[in-house]
Amino acid sequence: MRRGSVILAAAGVLILLGPEGAGARVDCPPSPSASTAPAAILVVGRHLGEPDPAGMFAVTVRELAGSPVPGSMVVVDFSGCDDLRLCQEQAPGEIVDCASHTVRGFTGADGVARFVITGAARNLRGGAGAGAGCARIYADGVMLGSATVAVPDENGAVAAPGVEVTDMVSFLADLAGGAYLGRSDFDGDGIVDVRDLSTLLRMLGTGASSESCRSSGLCP
Ligand SMILES: [Ca+2]
Ligand SMILES: [Ca+2]
């Protein structure tokens, strides 16, 4: 660095003050290695009008030196998840774009963006679907990682919204089918087995995702 220059680090941005006094701004982009993003996401329903907290996850955005990046736009891109439908209305602070199949939010002063995303799968008693890592997570355009997406409201049908007993029929078809389908891997451990069945039974028992989207419904 040249003599007489001052470097300030604030809000994830470096400001160089040289002898010119002009103050050139140098952005510090998000660093995938310094940031954290989930490897598995649970796209949930609602209960008593509120999103099921089981679906909460956080993305922490940091620049390479480890400082948090406030105000970073975090995009969860579900365009690789063909068997997922998002709700047209998400939690406050989350912006859904049905056309691009994305949900976005922004990091706070701590560099953390928090999400709970609602939606349903297109699983009517089995059939094709996404495998592992269908969602990609970006911060300011930088890909931080990919996540497997599980969806306990398997059928998402108008006649069967929310997590209810007919979702069990669709789950059991996935369990018996042999191919790995992320929508039914509720604990995100990379396999669909009886532990996921146990998770679905527990959700049925508590009713935590028993409601579907708000009145605006699912994305077309
Ligand atoms: Ca259902
Ligand atoms: Ca599992």
Side-chain angles (χ1 to χ4, degrees):
M1 174 159 278
R2 290 169 299 183
R3 184 177 177 182
S5 297
V6 178
I7 187 167
L8 301 175
V13 172
L14 293 182
I15 303 169
L16 302 181
L17 299 177
E20 306 87 355
R25 174 189 165 118
V26 180
D27 288 328
C28 295
S31 164
S33 61
S35 301
T36 58
I41 294 172
L42 194 64
V43 172
V44 293
R46 298 179 305 128
H47 181 61
L48 299 177
E50 296 300 322
D52 182 351
M56 287 182 176
F57 66 93
V59 177
T60 302
V61 182
R62 301 185 186 93
E63 44 98 335
L64 188 58
S67 298
V69 182
S72 177
M73 184 174 72
V74 175
V75 176
V76 185
D77 179 354
F78 295 101
S79 60
C81 313
D82 293 338
D83 52 345
L84 171 70
R85 295 179 71 188
L86 297 167
C87 290
Q88 296 198 54
E89 185 179 352
Q90 299 289 336
E94 298 177 20
I95 303 162
V96 63
D97 185 287
C98 291
S100 61
H101 215 30
T102 58
V103 177
R104 67 193 62 203
F106 292 86
T107 59
D110 56 357
V112 179
R114 295 174 174 82
F115 295 87
V116 53
I117 296 177
T118 50
R122 301 175 191 269
N123 179 12
L124 302 176
R125 303 187 180 190
C134 68
R136 290 165 290 176
I137 300 172
Y138 298 88
D140 297 333
V142 176
M143 185 170 166
L144 302 183
S146 59
T148 297
V149 178
V151 195
D153 183 3
E154 295 267 10
N155 51 27
V158 173
V163 175
E164 35 64 52
V165 68
T166 65
D167 295 309
M168 182 65 71
V169 177
S170 296
F171 168 80
L172 291 173
D174 284 357
L175 180 64
Y180 175 77
L181 295 163
R183 65 193 180 208
S184 289
D185 185 7
F186 304 126
D187 62 3
D189 67 350
I191 53 174
V192 176
D193 63 11
V194 293
R195 285 170 290 193
D196 302 300
L197 173 62
S198 174
T199 300
L200 185 57
L201 285 169
R202 187 168 64 249
M203 294 184 82
L204 279 167
T206 63
S209 274
S210 60
E211 300 162 15
S212 186
C213 310
R214 297 186 188 279
S215 58
S216 51
L218 292 160
C219 284

